[in-house]
Amino acid sequence: MSKMIIGKALPNIPWEDKPQGCTDVMWRFSGNPVIGWNPIPKAARVYNSAVAPFEGGFAGVFRADQKNGRATLFSGKSKDGIKIDLDLDPIQWIDENGKPAPTSYAYDPRVIEIEGEYYVTWCDDMNGPSIGLGKTKDFKTFVRMPNPLMPYNRNGVLFPRKVNGKYLLLSRPSDTGHTPFGNIYVSESPDLVHWGNHKLVMTNGGQGWWQGMKIGAGPVPIETTEGWLMIYHGVSNTCNGYVYSMGAALLDIDNPGKVLYRTRDYILTPEKDYETTGFVPNVAFPCANLFEAETGRIAVYYGADDTYTAIAFAQVDELIDYMKNNSEVF
Ligand code: BMA
């Protein structure tokens, strides 16, 4: 197999081979869900969360809805990426002067290491949903930075490196509620503070009803020899509410506003009990991926039913091959 992922070796990536007889391009971890109901006293449900390699193991920022129903971010660590030890109290954000900088709510975090600093994006409250941005070196002290974009916006996802000398941020402009529309845009910045040159990347719709109502970026894009591999969520509207599935797109490496391939069909949709029966049924919402440049293994962390944290796997060459042969770009 030729190496496709441009990145580091991660020999301890959580992994399970594809089960015999499985014809799907993405398959679920047999130990799902990896976080269940009430994992710690202050959190009822932990889902839509982000994990990154850290000090030979893993660390992450986890969306935890507390027992008053409010969404909060907790830090956590893991040796193997599967058994996750959550802090018992939420992250206490500070500003760049060390003063408390609390959030009224915070959800759907993404985490990425860029040049030795771990950056966190999440859905923040700026008198309505907007993109929050912060950083940490040790997953203990978390420092807020200026919010990159105006409200209302969700699903802010940074690229793992500068492209053409600029930081890039994906986002999905929205409304204050359960947004019945949404497309993915990219914005650029010289310094992670000033953002502009916004461009539309891709829209909902096409032949795929699974992404007919709205789409939003998922995990941080993976750099490959074929382009940026971006896993995202697509939503369809049914008479019983929204259904969240996963798809994948390949973006041009030097011009990520350009879509090269995009899966016509979903690559994972709610099917298992933990994906169809929970606080909000029929949600598979990816927020993180770990990947291994040597073997091409990818582990995707997704929230299931706004209740559980789960993992699914893919092999990069097989996924990209599938995307090329089952693509609809629009
Ligand atoms: C979206 C976000 C996600 C959530 C999803 C399904 O609008 O709020 O956090 O998983 O709805 O409820």
Side-chain angles (χ1 to χ4, degrees), residues 5 17-19 60 81 86 105-106 129 134 150 181 266 271 275 290 329:
I5 293 178
D17 285 337
K18 192 193 276 206
L86 296 164
Y105 60 73
M150 300 280 279
F181 60 88
Y266 56 73
E271 289 173 13
E275 295 162 346
L290 299 172
V329 175

Side-chain angles (χ1 to χ4, degrees), residues 86-116:
L86 296 164
D87 284 2
L88 297 180
D89 287 297
I91 290 171
Q92 302 294 317
W93 290 95
I94 54 172
D95 66 18
E96 304 209 48
N97 301 315
K99 300 230 166 61
T103 58
S104 84
Y105 60 73
Y107 57 82
D108 300 356
R110 277 74 164 183
V111 174
I112 182 63
E113 184 192 348
I114 308 177
E115 295 157 12

Side-chain angles (χ1 to χ4, degrees), residues 47-48 63 65 107-108 110 123 154-155 172 177-179 214 233 235 242 244 279-285 287 303-307:
Y47 57 103
N48 301 6
R63 171 184 180 159
D65 289 4
Y107 57 82
D108 300 356
R110 277 74 164 183
C123 178
R154 293 185 175 103
N155 297 301
R172 208 279 307 282
H178 299 298
T179 318
K214 60 175 168 175
H233 69 257
V235 183
Y242 295 176
Y244 283 71
F279 190 74
V280 179
N282 301 317
V283 179
F285 195 98
C287 281
D305 286 348
D306 292 8
T307 305

